Amino acid sequence: MKFLIKLPLLALAVFTFISCTTYSIDEKAESLQLKVLSPKTKTIEVEILELINDHRLSLGLNPLDKMALVKSVAFTHTDYMIDNNEVSHANFFTRSTYLKENAGAKTVSENVAYGYSSAESVVRAWLKSEGHKANIEGDYTNFDVSAEENAEGKWYYTNIFIKK
């Protein structure tokens, strides 16, 4: 009985800590200006990308190529989430439009997460979620990820996928 009471709370917590979104090139978006930054790649980011490509290869899917511009856009959003102390897809249209205009993307999707302390745990959580898994296994050509710690040592993640 206690499990049935806690189940809705668990579902809410999972939804809060991981989220994903996808938009196609046909959708309208406002014009944008993003600050392009080139943060140093962290070990956890390399591990996330390797785990995602390993998963894709295990299914017979093409591995995705890293792209510095995608990483920069992901970093900008991760930094935004830390500054606002929330996990969100806020301003996704801005990121999507920027990548369509500057990286030749036709389709853009993203997964975000918060609180996972290892590459394995965040990728495992994304793969347990239908929407996140669809992004990971989707018809994309490039991707990159930003993982940043806030002042309290909690990790925030933005993983962006594009199809050229």
Side-chain angles (χ1 to χ4, degrees), residues 11-24:
L12 179 60
V14 168
F15 179 75
T16 300
F17 291 132
I18 58 177
S19 184
C20 63
T21 191
T22 303
Y23 292 97
S24 71

Side-chain angles (χ1 to χ4, degrees), residues 46-154:
V46 172
E47 292 170 351
I48 290 168
L49 298 176
E50 288 175 352
L51 287 167
I52 289 172
N53 269 340
D54 288 348
H55 175 77
R56 290 178 61 86
L57 287 168
S58 76
L59 299 174
L61 300 171
N62 63 302
L64 302 177
D65 294 323
K66 296 186 300 182
M67 181 179 254
L69 187 57
V70 172
K71 177 168 183 57
S72 178
V73 172
F75 173 78
T76 300
H77 184 60
T78 303
D79 194 45
Y80 170 88
M81 291 191 299
I82 289 172
D83 287 348
N84 290 283
N85 197 32
E86 69 176 356
V87 179
S88 75
H89 292 287
N91 306 308
F92 178 76
F93 283 122
T94 301
R95 290 185 297 287
S96 178
T97 300
Y98 184 85
L99 290 168
K100 289 171 185 173
E101 292 175 354
N102 295 281
K106 295 178 183 170
T107 306
V108 179
S109 297
E110 75 180 13
N111 290 345
V112 297
Y114 162 80
Y116 297 93
S117 59
S118 70
E120 295 83 8
S121 62
V122 72
V123 172
R124 192 174 327 121
W126 282 334
L127 288 172
K128 288 181 181 179
S129 163
E130 188 176 316
H132 298 96
K133 185 176 179 182
N135 285 344
I136 289 171
E137 297 175 359
D139 183 19
Y140 298 105
T141 56
N142 302 84
F143 72 152
D144 222 311
V145 67
S146 170
E148 299 294 328
E149 278 184 286
N150 69 7
E152 292 80 39
K154 298 289 184 182

